[in-house]
Every structure is written in C-alpha cells, then in structure tokens.
Amino acid sequence: MIEVDFQLGRPSEEARIVVAMSGGVDSSVVAALAARSGAEVVGVTLQLYDHGAAVERSRSCCAGQDIYDARTVADRLGIAHYVFDYESRFKDSVIDRFADEYMMGRTPIPCIACNQGVKFTDLLSLARDLGADCLATGHYVRRMAGPSGAELHRAADPARDQSYFLFATTADQLDYLRFPLGDLPKALVREVARDLQLIVADKPDSQDICFVPNGDYASVVKKVRPEAAQEGEIVHMDGRLLGRHKGLIHFTVGQRRGLEIGGQKEPLYVVRLEPGVRRVIVGPKSALAVRTAHLSDINWLGEAQKEGLTAKVRSMARPAPARFDGRSLHFLDPEYGVAPGQAAVIYDGDRVLGGGWIEETIAAELEPA
C-alpha cells in the first residue's frame, strides 16, 4: 500500500488527523492513508440535509447510505467516526443561495459555495476544536510548498482535477488542509480500497449536485422559491417576440436546447436573462463571444498579477489565455458561454492563483482585442 507524508510537523504517533469522510471511495482511502501514517485519526461526516429522503440516491455525496458507508469504513479501519448535523447551516448557505441565484438569472455553482462555507470553514473549525494537526479531504488537487507558503495546484491526473471548485480556499485554510490524492490516479485509489476490502471500493462516483435529484435543478428551486415558475417572454436580440417560457430557472447563458422555438434559419442560444421582466434573450452563437468578465469576491493566492495566465469559466472548459488586472479578466481570444454567477478561476501553469465570481460580461463585438 502506498504511503503519504501528511507533513504534520511532529512525530505521527503524537499527532491527530481529522478526515472529512463523505462515504465515497476517495475519502475512505484518505482515511486509510491517514491511519497508516501512525497518527490518531478521526473521521467526520456532515449530515447536510434530511438524509431520510435521500437514501435512494446512493450517487449523491451526502445521502443516508453514504453516512452508513462512512461509518462502516471507519469501523473497518479502527478509527473514531462522528456525524455532525449541519442541515440548517447547509440550507441557509448553499441551498437557499442556489435558489436565489437562479431567481436572479445567474448560473450558480453550489459545490464551490459548500466548500467556502460548510466544508472549509465550519468543518475546518470543527477539526481545530478536535485538536487536529490538519484536516484531510479526498479532493483531487495538490498542495505544494512554495517560497511564500502552501500553494494550490492542479491534480496530477487532469481527468480528476477539482481545483476549479477550490479556488476560494484561503491561504490560512490551505496551510491547514491536506489533499493526499492529488498525485494519484483514480484507478490506483480504487485498487487501494480493494486491497483493504473496503465496501466502497467499487462504489460509483457522485454525478449530481448532492441535493438535486436526477439533475432536475428547476424542481429544487421551485420547492424553495415557488415564484420561480413564473412565465415570461422569449425575445430575439433584434427585438422579435419568439415565444414564451415557463420560468427563468430552466435557462442559462449559452443554452441551446429547451427553447422550443422552431422555424429559425440558424440555431439560437440564450444570450442573456432579464430577471426583472422574466425575459429570455436569444441570438446566434456569435453573440455569446465575450472579451471581458468583471469579477467580485475575488480570492487571491498568488504573489502578484502577471501576464501569461490562463482562466477557466466552467469546470469542464479548457483553460483560456487571459490577462487579469485585479478586478477584471480579459480573454486574449473571445470566450463563449460566459455566464454571470459562474466562477472564473485563474492559473499560472498548474498553480491556482485565485479567482472570483462573474458579475458582468462584455461582448467581444463591443470591445476590441
């Protein structure tokens, strides 16, 4: 079995590691690696919503089945395990925010909000209260020592990299966090789990947002904010009324499917949402080209802004060459499908320099290169 240096700063037998255990294979293997280090290990699982309604959803990261799996793995490893109820906190800081963002015509990313709050603020504070030397998680990113302290880097396996979702991690949090899987391929992680005969060794990865059944975002938003289902107009950017929709929550910038307006000479995409009048503005793909994105709530982990950077505006997007002036992101080539509410994450090579939330975009046709 592989071994990991948790960089505890003192002999392992004198140290304590808290592991965030979601009930999946990744965090379970992290717990196993921590136990192998010789340190005292405490597994912690957060109950983030009424898991009684989520037991059927074994592909979600916080369902009741996952809590059971985390406890079973902890028993197998011979480590302590605790479940803490953070349902109210999660609803206020993640679910309600998710619904409100959709109501404002934005494209929310709740996993980042969860990392910002419940996981890397509340859970980290809980780990400190338990006297832990560090908090270890199953995220696929690398924490590397730099001349000015710990740095956040992409995972060695690009197919598993989760750095986009962790851009808001602060320097203080990064100093305390450990990511043992950052240098490992997923296949090896599963192999370790099988060798240890962990019940989660072949458990499928989570595919959906944990509180969104079957990827149906609209139903969740309507449950939290019933007024979100109000109808409105679908209007071409040239002013033509093309049809009506059943709620802005069904649309996001860059979307093509689901418009249900036929008879057009060219494919149409959602170009803009106007929540004040519940209007969906559509147009050709060329209208989606963006040259500049203004950011808010910027978290910066680098020493200084510089040229030669790249940026991602969606988790699955390729990093695009860009320049950052401290507030705005300027793409060297037009970027498509950039939506308010999304995160823009800025890289220097593999290193995460920081990022922020997209508040406003400027179309390429309105701004010269």
Side-chain angles (χ1 to χ4, degrees), residues 88-108:
S88 177
R89 169 83 164 119
F90 184 74
K91 180 181 183 300
D92 292 342
S93 64
V94 179
I95 298 179
D96 286 352
R97 176 178 172 180
F98 175 81
D100 290 341
E101 287 280 282
Y102 262 112
M103 290 287 291
M104 292 187 292
R106 295 161 61 87
T107 304

Side-chain angles (χ1 to χ4, degrees), residues 2-340:
I2 60 176
E3 294 187 8
V4 172
D5 181 5
F6 282 83
Q7 301 176 339
L8 301 173
R10 59 173 173 161
S12 296
E13 60 272 14
E14 300 175 7
R16 175 179 293 169
I17 300 173
V18 166
V19 177
M21 298 184 68
S22 68
V25 63
D26 297 325
S27 60
S28 297
V29 169
V30 169
L33 294 173
R36 187 175 177 82
S37 74
E40 177 189 1
V41 179
V42 178
V44 172
T45 302
L46 301 182
Q47 178 182 318
L48 300 181
Y49 51 83
D50 181 6
H51 61 74
V55 170
E56 299 177 1
R57 301 190 56 242
S58 61
R59 293 174 69 86
S60 297
C61 71
C62 310
Q65 180 64 46
D66 293 331
I67 294 175
Y68 170 81
D69 289 344
R71 179 175 286 125
T72 302
V73 168
D75 289 343
R76 170 74 178 173
L77 298 175
I79 65 174
H81 178 256
Y82 301 99
V83 178
F84 292 89
D85 184 356
Y86 272 67
E87 182 177 345
S88 177
R89 169 83 164 119
F90 184 74
K91 180 181 183 300
D92 292 342
S93 64
V94 179
I95 298 179
D96 286 352
R97 176 178 172 180
F98 175 81
D100 290 341
E101 287 280 282
Y102 262 112
M103 290 287 291
M104 292 187 292
R106 295 161 61 87
T107 304
I109 309 177
C111 296
I112 296 178
C114 185
N115 288 330
Q116 277 185 297
V118 176
K119 290 183 179 176
F120 283 179
T121 300
D122 299 336
L123 183 52
L124 191 143
S125 177
L126 181 60
R128 291 187 190 276
D129 289 342
L130 291 173
D133 293 80
C134 67
L135 170 66
T137 81
H139 290 98
Y140 284 84
V141 292
R142 290 180 292 169
R143 174 188 178 276
M144 303 178 68
S148 300
E151 299 176 353
L152 186 63
H153 289 246
R154 286 193 182 97
D157 182 353
R160 303 300 307 177
D161 175 55
Q162 294 174 299
S163 60
Y164 177 83
F165 298 101
L166 300 183
F167 85 88
T169 306
T170 66
D172 180 63
Q173 292 169 344
L174 190 57
D175 185 60
Y176 190 67
L177 289 162
R178 301 293 186 271
F179 307 110
L181 305 186
D183 287 311
L184 307 179
K186 184 62 177 261
L188 179 56
V189 171
R190 289 200 181 276
E191 183 180 327
V192 170
R194 293 188 191 101
D195 289 344
L196 293 172
Q197 298 182 335
L198 302 182
I199 63 169
V200 296
D202 296 306
K203 187 174 182 178
D205 293 333
S206 297
Q207 299 296 323
D208 302 323
I209 295 172
C210 65
F211 60 89
V212 178
N214 303 316
D216 187 358
Y217 306 116
S219 66
V220 172
V221 177
K222 284 190 288 187
K223 183 176 181 180
V224 178
R225 301 286 185 267
E227 64 273 23
Q230 293 180 328
E231 296 184 358
E233 299 176 337
I234 300 177
V235 179
H236 195 284
M237 56 190 303
D238 64 13
R240 288 179 291 140
L241 176 63
L242 300 179
R244 296 187 64 80
H245 64 78
K246 296 181 180 180
L248 290 183
I249 56 175
H250 297 285
F251 303 95
T252 185
V253 172
Q255 179 177 332
R256 178 182 173 186
R257 296 182 179 179
L259 290 173
E260 298 180 354
I261 45 176
Q264 305 301 313
K265 294 182 179 180
E266 61 180 344
L268 295 178
Y269 299 79
V270 176
V271 174
R272 181 172 77 251
L273 299 176
E274 298 179 348
V277 291
R278 303 191 300 278
R279 185 178 294 135
V280 176
I281 306 298
V282 300
K285 184 177 181 180
S286 60
L288 292 173
V290 165
R291 181 70 68 178
T292 294
H294 299 310
L295 311 184
S296 66
D297 297 326
I298 295 167
N299 179 61
W300 196 250
L301 294 169
E303 289 74 28
Q305 293 87 10
K306 54 184 291 188
E307 301 289 340
L309 306 178
T310 59
K312 292 178 65 171
V313 294
R314 295 175 303 281
S315 62
M316 300 303 293
R318 289 185 176 183
R323 180 174 57 84
F324 182 60
D325 63 14
R327 176 179 179 270
S328 300
L329 193 60
H330 306 278
F331 300 103
L332 302 192
D333 296 308
E335 187 73 5
Y336 290 80
V338 185

